[in-house]
Amino acid sequence: MKKQMKAAVIQRYKQTKIELVDRELPKIKKTDVLVKVAAASINPIDRKIKDGDLKMLLHYQFPLTLGSDFAGVIQAVGSEVQRFQVGDKVYGRVNKDRIGTFAEYLAVDQADIAIKPNNLTFSQAAAVPLVGLTSYQAIHDFMKLKRGDKVLIQAGSGGIGTVAIQLAKLAGAFVATTTSEKNADMVKKLGADQVIDYHRQDFSEVLTDFDYVFDTLGKEQLKKAFQIIRPGGKVVTLSGIPNRKFAKEYGLPWWKQAVLDIASYPITRLEKESGATYVFLFMKPSGEQLVKLTDLIESGNLQVILDRIVPLEQIQQAFDYSATGRAHGKIVLNIDPKVSDQF
Ligand SMILES: NC(=O)c1ccc[n+]([C@@H]2O[C@H](COP(=O)([O-])OP(=O)(O)OC[C@H]3O[C@@H](n4cnc5c(N)ncnc54)[C@H](OP(=O)(O)O)[C@@H]3O)[C@@H](O)[C@H]2O)c1
């Protein structure tokens, strides 16, 4: 096996250009597998990590190889790995303190991976883990959506939205979503019952009495969610400010809990006034939940929407495109062109 690998790294936060450099292959721990990465997807969190926006929650050392999810083939297993073997085709979202999927090789704990769906290529499979798990956790762990519930999914055409709409429909919910007119047909095909073109209509003037809002946008859009939620409903955000409850459960020190308590005060006030609950969701890796997503994909119940696949060498352009906020579905990096198109 090679000793060096190509990896996309930054040397410091806010570095404008991502560097492609040679790095040593990662070493595996007892419960890790070593994966030859075929493809990895770009998620907005990769940009937020690069820019140091998540320093309050995550700490990294430099040089830092970026990348949160992947699909690839196992090359070696640690001494305590029982669930996987060399040659297995797997996918996963790595632990937040062990990122680095934008590289030819990756060490990842067996608990964070699953066998990839057999009806997806590696490039398609790499698009699933982070957005799939986040949506699954929002819809099943936090909302516990059931037949007849009304949910608004913000930004239905994004990486998260395209998965969340499908999972919410599978749970039997009525799904409203926001997007631009150009993406309206796509989100309807995914199952959305009511599509709001956010350029023309303000969702808070159209929707009332919703049981849940899945907020992916934060800021003013998050505040408006409290105008449409019913008392006893729940607003689950990915992009809003974490509140004290989250900070405590996440184990942050008291002073960070206090800072977040103050910063989230305007939302806490809206939460009280509306009689709804506000939840900041910070997704977690889970091989077990990935198995559930695999089942849905293999049975034809969950589709993967790709915006584009680009070579690793064009990672900077792919990041710049992601930063426009206009991607419809996922942006995937082709890391091993010999296998990324294979099933
Ligand atoms: N907390 C967590 O654990 C967690 C996990 C995953 C993601 N996130 C966060 O969730 C957010 C969404 O992630 P993503 O992967 O879905 O992003 P994405 O794929 O980059 O989202 C792009 C989509 O957003 C749509 N959009 C942009 N502004 C909009 C608006 N005002 N109203 C409706 N749609 C709008 C765009 O549609 P148009 O072209 O039509 O505008 C585009 O299709 C990101 O901020 C990400 O960091 C957080």
Side-chain angles (χ1 to χ4, degrees):
M1 205 179 300
K2 297 199 306 186
K3 289 218 169 89
Q4 296 274 312
M5 63 172 189
K6 226 185 298 166
V9 305
I10 53 165
Q11 310 288 348
R12 60 183 182 284
Y13 288 129
K14 296 202 190 296
Q15 188 172 315
T16 35
K17 297 274 176 240
I18 299 164
E19 300 170 17
L20 268 187
V21 300
D22 286 332
R23 290 198 83 170
E24 273 184 28
L25 262 64
K27 295 202 172 41
I28 53 172
K29 300 180 195 169
K30 285 179 186 169
T31 56
D32 281 353
V33 301
L34 182 73
V35 174
K36 186 159 196 315
V37 179
S41 85
I42 291 185
N43 290 282
I45 194 173
D46 303 319
R47 193 177 64 251
K48 292 179 186 176
I49 288 173
K50 179 175 92 57
D51 291 341
D53 294 348
L54 299 176
K55 274 193 277 187
M56 192 84 161
L57 304 180
L58 301 169
H59 303 277
Y60 294 109
Q61 309 217 312
F62 297 96
L64 174 66
T65 304
L66 297 168
S68 307
D69 57 7
F70 72 96
V73 182
I74 295 183
Q75 307 295 308
V77 297
S79 57
E80 290 176 12
V81 171
Q82 280 152 2
R83 295 166 43 207
F84 298 96
Q85 53 193 18
V86 171
D88 280 351
K89 299 171 180 179
V90 293
Y91 71 152
R93 192 279 190 245
V94 294
N95 205 299
K96 295 194 187 84
D97 55 10
R98 298 185 71 194
I99 63 167
T101 64
F102 300 159
E104 289 177 292
Y105 290 87
L106 170 78
V108 55
D109 194 285
Q110 63 171 346
D112 299 339
I113 62 173
I115 299 289
K116 81 162 186 65
N118 57 27
N119 56 342
L120 295 187
T121 64
F122 285 95
S123 295
Q124 292 168 323
V128 175
L130 194 144
V131 294
L133 290 170
T134 308
S135 302
Y136 189 94
Q137 289 163 15
I139 279 158
H140 293 294
D141 297 346
F142 287 89
M143 299 179 190
K144 301 188 181 13
L145 269 194
K146 55 183 191 318
R147 187 156 301 284
D149 284 342
K150 285 193 336 187
V151 60
L152 167 66
I153 295 173
Q154 288 281 28
S157 48
I160 294 285
T162 50
V163 179
I165 290 172
Q166 298 181 76
L167 293 183
K169 283 312 292 175
L170 287 169
F174 174 89
V175 177
T177 194
T178 53
T179 188
S180 306
E181 196 182 349
K182 64 183 185 324
N183 297 315
D185 282 345
M186 177 180 77
V187 297
K188 276 184 205 154
K189 279 192 193 121
L190 294 174
D193 299 290
Q194 186 171 1
V195 180
I196 296 161
D197 174 358
Y198 73 91
H199 296 287
R200 296 202 181 143
Q201 273 184 315
D202 182 334
F203 72 89
S204 66
E205 291 170 6
V206 185
L207 308 176
T208 50
D209 216 22
F210 267 59
D211 301 294
Y212 299 97
V213 175
F214 188 17
D215 169 65
T216 58
L217 298 168
K219 302 191 178 116
E220 287 310 305
Q221 308 300 322
L222 169 58
K223 288 186 184 155
K224 285 182 183 174
F226 292 92
Q227 295 174 24
I228 70 154
I229 198 82
R230 68 162 170 80
K234 203 179 261 185
V235 175
V236 177
T237 186
L238 299 178
S239 301
I241 296 175
N243 57 4
R244 184 188 275 276
K245 182 170 183 291
F246 168 83
K248 211 170 164 188
E249 284 166 7
Y250 192 67
L252 293 180
W254 69 267
W255 67 268
K256 285 192 180 179
Q257 290 183 30
V259 169
L260 289 175
D261 195 30
I262 293 166
S264 63
Y265 175 72
I267 296 292
T268 306
R269 215 178 64 193
L270 291 173
E271 187 187 20
K272 284 195 182 127
E273 284 168 6
S274 65
T277 309
Y278 172 71
V279 178
F280 175 79
L281 190 168
F282 204 29
M283 65 83 59
K284 296 187 179 119
S286 167
E288 269 173 41
Q289 289 183 336
L290 268 181
V291 171
K292 293 181 178 160
L293 292 170
T294 301
D295 288 346
L296 291 174
I297 293 166
E298 290 183 346
S299 60
N301 285 304
L302 183 60
Q303 284 179 55
V304 178
I305 307 296
L306 294 190
D307 179 299
R308 62 188 64 185
I309 303 174
V310 297
L312 178 61
E313 289 68 26
Q314 288 174 24
I315 185 169
Q316 187 62 48
Q317 290 94 315
F319 260 64
D320 294 344
Y321 177 56
S322 171
T324 65
R326 297 284 80 79
H328 45 96
K330 297 284 299 175
I331 307 163
V332 170
L333 289 174
N334 181 353
I335 295 182
D336 185 352
K338 287 195 202 104
V339 295
S340 55
D341 286 345
Q342 292 175 18
F343 287 89

Coordinates of all heavy atoms in Angstrom, one line a residue, residues 43-45 48 130-131 134 154-161 178-180 182-183 198-199 216-217 221 237-239 280-283 322 325-330, ligand 1:
N43 N -20.5 19.4 1.9 CA -21.6 19.8 2.8 C -21.3 21.2 3.3 O -20.1 21.5 3.5 CB -21.8 18.9 4.0 CG -22.3 17.6 3.6 OD1 -23.5 17.4 3.3 ND2 -21.4 16.6 3.5
P44 N -22.3 22.1 3.5 CA -22.0 23.4 4.0 C -21.1 23.4 5.2 O -20.4 24.4 5.5 CB -23.4 24.0 4.2 CG -24.2 23.4 3.2 CD -23.7 21.9 3.1
I45 N -21.2 22.4 6.0 CA -20.4 22.3 7.3 C -18.9 22.3 7.0 O -18.1 22.9 7.7 CB -20.8 21.1 8.2 CG1 -20.2 21.3 9.6 CG2 -20.3 19.8 7.6 CD1 -20.6 20.3 10.6
K48 N -18.0 25.8 6.7 CA -18.1 26.5 8.0 C -16.9 26.1 8.9 O -16.3 26.9 9.6 CB -19.4 26.1 8.8 CG -20.7 26.7 8.1 CD -21.9 26.2 8.8 CE -23.2 26.7 8.0 NZ -24.4 26.3 8.6
L130 N -24.3 12.4 5.4 CA -24.5 13.5 6.3 C -25.9 14.0 6.2 O -26.6 14.2 7.2 CB -23.5 14.6 6.0 CG -23.5 15.7 7.1 CD1 -22.1 16.2 7.4 CD2 -24.4 16.8 6.9
V131 N -26.4 14.3 4.9 CA -27.8 14.8 4.8 C -28.8 13.8 5.2 O -29.9 14.1 5.7 CB -28.0 15.4 3.4 CG1 -27.2 16.6 3.1 CG2 -27.8 14.3 2.3
T134 N -28.8 13.5 9.0 CA -29.4 14.7 9.6 C -30.9 14.7 9.5 O -31.7 15.0 10.4 CB -28.8 15.9 9.0 OG1 -27.4 15.9 9.0 CG2 -29.3 17.2 9.7
Q154 N -37.8 23.7 5.1 CA -37.2 24.9 4.4 C -36.2 24.4 3.4 O -35.5 23.5 3.6 CB -36.6 25.8 5.4 CG -37.5 26.6 6.3 CD -38.1 27.8 5.5 OE1 -38.2 27.8 4.3 NE2 -38.5 28.8 6.3
A155 N -36.1 25.2 2.3 CA -35.1 24.9 1.2 C -35.2 23.4 0.7 O -34.2 22.7 0.8 CB -33.7 25.2 1.7
G156 N -36.3 23.1 0.2 CA -36.6 21.7 -0.2 C -35.7 21.2 -1.3 O -35.5 20.0 -1.5
S157 N -35.0 22.1 -2.1 CA -34.1 21.7 -3.2 C -32.7 21.5 -2.7 O -31.9 21.1 -3.5 CB -34.2 22.8 -4.3 OG -34.0 24.1 -3.7
G158 N -32.4 21.7 -1.5 CA -31.0 21.6 -1.0 C -30.7 20.1 -0.7 O -31.5 19.2 -0.8
G159 N -29.4 19.9 -0.3 CA -29.0 18.6 0.1 C -29.9 18.0 1.2 O -30.3 16.8 1.1
I160 N -30.2 18.8 2.2 CA -31.0 18.3 3.3 C -32.5 18.2 2.8 O -33.1 17.1 3.0 CB -31.0 19.3 4.5 CG1 -29.6 19.3 5.1 CG2 -32.1 19.0 5.5 CD1 -29.2 18.2 6.0
G161 N -33.0 19.2 2.2 CA -34.4 19.3 1.8 C -34.8 18.1 0.9 O -35.8 17.5 1.1
T178 N -40.2 25.3 0.8 CA -39.9 26.5 0.1 C -38.7 26.3 -0.9 O -37.8 25.5 -0.6 CB -39.4 27.6 1.1 OG1 -38.3 27.1 1.9 CG2 -40.5 28.1 2.0
T179 N -38.8 26.9 -2.1 CA -37.7 26.8 -3.0 C -38.0 27.8 -4.1 O -39.0 28.6 -4.0 CB -37.6 25.4 -3.7 OG1 -36.5 25.3 -4.4 CG2 -38.9 25.0 -4.5
S180 N -37.1 27.9 -5.2 CA -37.4 28.8 -6.3 C -38.2 28.0 -7.3 O -38.3 26.8 -7.3 CB -36.1 29.2 -7.0 OG -35.2 29.7 -6.1
K182 N -37.7 27.4 -10.3 CA -36.9 26.5 -11.2 C -36.8 25.1 -10.6 O -36.6 24.1 -11.3 CB -35.5 27.0 -11.5 CG -34.6 27.2 -10.3 CD -33.3 27.8 -10.7 CE -32.2 27.9 -9.6 NZ -32.5 28.2 -8.2
N183 N -37.0 25.0 -9.3 CA -36.9 23.7 -8.6 C -38.2 23.1 -8.2 O -38.3 22.1 -7.5 CB -36.0 23.8 -7.3 CG -34.6 24.2 -7.6 OD1 -34.0 23.7 -8.6 ND2 -34.0 25.1 -6.9
Y198 N -40.2 31.1 -2.7 CA -39.8 32.1 -1.7 C -39.5 33.4 -2.2 O -39.4 34.4 -1.5 CB -38.7 31.6 -0.8 CG -37.3 31.5 -1.4 CD1 -36.5 32.6 -1.3 CD2 -36.9 30.4 -2.0 CE1 -35.2 32.5 -1.8 CE2 -35.6 30.3 -2.6 CZ -34.8 31.4 -2.4 OH -33.5 31.3 -3.0
H199 N -39.3 33.5 -3.6 CA -39.0 34.8 -4.2 C -40.3 35.6 -4.3 O -40.3 36.8 -4.4 CB -38.4 34.6 -5.6 CG -37.1 34.0 -5.6 ND1 -36.0 34.6 -5.1 CD2 -36.7 32.7 -5.9 CE1 -34.9 33.8 -5.2 NE2 -35.3 32.7 -5.7
T216 N -33.7 25.1 7.9 CA -32.3 24.9 7.4 C -31.6 26.2 7.1 O -30.5 26.3 6.6 CB -32.3 24.0 6.1 OG1 -33.1 24.7 5.1 CG2 -32.8 22.7 6.3
L217 N -32.4 27.3 7.4 CA -31.9 28.6 6.9 C -31.4 29.6 8.0 O -30.6 30.5 7.8 CB -33.0 29.3 6.1 CG -33.5 28.6 4.8 CD1 -34.7 29.2 4.3 CD2 -32.4 28.6 3.8
Q221 N -35.6 33.8 8.7 CA -36.5 32.6 8.3 C -36.9 31.8 9.5 O -38.0 31.3 9.7 CB -35.9 31.7 7.2 CG -35.3 32.5 6.0 CD -36.4 33.2 5.3 OE1 -37.5 32.7 5.2 NE2 -36.1 34.4 4.8
T237 N -34.1 23.3 14.2 CA -33.2 24.1 13.3 C -31.9 23.4 13.2 O -31.3 22.8 14.1 CB -33.0 25.5 13.8 OG1 -32.3 26.2 12.8 CG2 -32.2 25.6 15.1
L238 N -31.3 23.6 12.0 CA -29.9 23.2 11.7 C -29.0 24.4 11.7 O -27.8 24.2 11.8 CB -29.8 22.5 10.4 CG -30.6 21.2 10.1 CD1 -30.4 20.7 8.7 CD2 -30.2 20.2 11.2
S239 N -29.6 25.5 11.5 CA -28.7 26.7 11.2 C -29.0 27.9 12.1 O -28.3 28.9 12.0 CB -29.0 27.2 9.7 OG -28.7 26.2 8.8
F280 N -32.2 22.9 18.7 CA -31.0 23.0 17.8 C -30.5 21.6 17.6 O -30.1 20.9 18.5 CB -29.9 23.9 18.3 CG -28.7 23.9 17.5 CD1 -28.6 24.6 16.3 CD2 -27.6 23.1 17.8 CE1 -27.5 24.6 15.5 CE2 -26.4 23.0 17.0 CZ -26.4 23.8 15.8
L281 N -30.4 21.1 16.3 CA -30.0 19.8 16.0 C -28.6 19.8 15.5 O -28.3 20.5 14.5 CB -30.9 19.1 15.0 CG -30.8 17.6 14.7 CD1 -32.0 17.2 13.8 CD2 -29.6 17.2 14.0
F282 N -27.7 19.1 16.2 CA -26.3 18.9 15.7 C -26.2 17.4 15.4 O -26.1 16.6 16.3 CB -25.3 19.4 16.7 CG -24.0 19.8 16.2 CD1 -23.8 20.4 14.9 CD2 -22.8 19.7 17.0 CE1 -22.6 20.8 14.5 CE2 -21.6 20.1 16.5 CZ -21.5 20.7 15.3
M283 N -26.2 17.1 14.1 CA -26.3 15.7 13.8 C -25.1 14.8 14.3 O -24.0 15.3 14.5 CB -26.5 15.5 12.3 CG -25.3 15.9 11.4 SD -24.0 14.6 11.3 CE -24.9 13.3 10.6
S322 N -20.7 25.6 -3.9 CA -21.5 25.3 -2.7 C -21.9 26.6 -2.0 O -23.0 26.8 -1.5 CB -20.8 24.3 -1.8 OG -21.4 24.2 -0.6
G325 N -25.0 28.8 -2.5 CA -26.3 28.4 -1.9 C -27.3 28.0 -2.9 O -28.5 27.9 -2.6
R326 N -26.9 27.8 -4.2 CA -27.8 27.5 -5.2 C -27.8 26.0 -5.6 O -28.5 25.6 -6.6 CB -27.5 28.3 -6.5 CG -27.6 29.8 -6.3 CD -29.0 30.3 -6.3 NE -29.7 30.2 -5.1 CZ -29.6 31.0 -4.0 NH1 -28.8 32.0 -4.0 NH2 -30.2 30.7 -2.9
A327 N -27.0 25.2 -5.0 CA -27.0 23.8 -5.4 C -28.4 23.1 -5.3 O -29.1 23.4 -4.3 CB -26.0 23.0 -4.6
H328 N -28.7 22.3 -6.2 CA -30.0 21.5 -6.1 C -29.6 20.1 -5.9 O -29.1 19.5 -6.8 CB -30.9 21.8 -7.3 CG -30.2 21.7 -8.6 ND1 -30.2 20.5 -9.4 CD2 -29.5 22.6 -9.3 CE1 -29.5 20.8 -10.5 NE2 -29.1 22.0 -10.5
G329 N -29.7 19.6 -4.7 CA -29.2 18.3 -4.4 C -27.7 18.4 -4.0 O -27.3 19.5 -3.7
K330 N -27.0 17.3 -4.2 CA -25.6 17.3 -3.7 C -24.5 17.5 -4.7 O -24.6 17.2 -5.8 CB -25.4 15.9 -3.0 CG -26.3 15.6 -1.9 CD -25.9 16.3 -0.6 CE -24.6 15.9 -0.2 NZ -24.1 16.6 1.0
Ligands
LIG1 N1 -26.6 21.3 12.5 C1 -26.3 20.2 11.7 O1 -26.0 19.1 12.2 C2 -26.4 20.4 10.2 C3 -26.4 19.2 9.4 C4 -26.5 19.4 8.0 C5 -26.7 20.6 7.5 N2 -26.7 21.7 8.3 C6 -26.9 23.1 7.7 O2 -28.2 23.1 7.0 C7 -28.1 24.1 6.0 C8 -28.6 23.4 4.7 O3 -27.8 22.4 4.3 P1 -27.9 21.8 2.8 O4 -26.9 20.8 2.6 O5 -29.3 21.5 2.5 O6 -27.4 23.1 1.9 P2 -27.4 23.4 0.4 O7 -27.6 22.1 -0.3 O8 -26.2 24.2 0.0 O9 -28.7 24.3 0.1 C9 -28.9 24.8 -1.1 C10 -30.3 25.0 -1.5 O10 -30.9 26.0 -0.6 C11 -32.0 26.7 -1.3 N3 -32.2 28.0 -0.6 C12 -31.3 29.0 -0.4 N4 -31.9 30.0 0.2 C13 -33.2 29.7 0.3 C14 -34.4 30.4 0.9 N5 -34.3 31.6 1.4 N6 -35.5 29.7 0.9 C15 -35.7 28.5 0.3 N7 -34.6 27.8 -0.2 C16 -33.4 28.4 -0.2 C17 -31.4 26.8 -2.7 O11 -32.5 26.8 -3.6 P3 -32.7 28.1 -4.6 O12 -31.5 27.9 -5.6 O13 -34.0 27.9 -5.1 O14 -32.5 29.3 -3.8 C18 -30.6 25.5 -2.9 O15 -31.3 24.5 -3.6 C19 -26.6 24.5 5.9 O16 -26.5 25.7 6.6 C20 -25.9 23.4 6.7 O17 -24.7 23.9 7.3 C21 -26.5 21.6 9.6

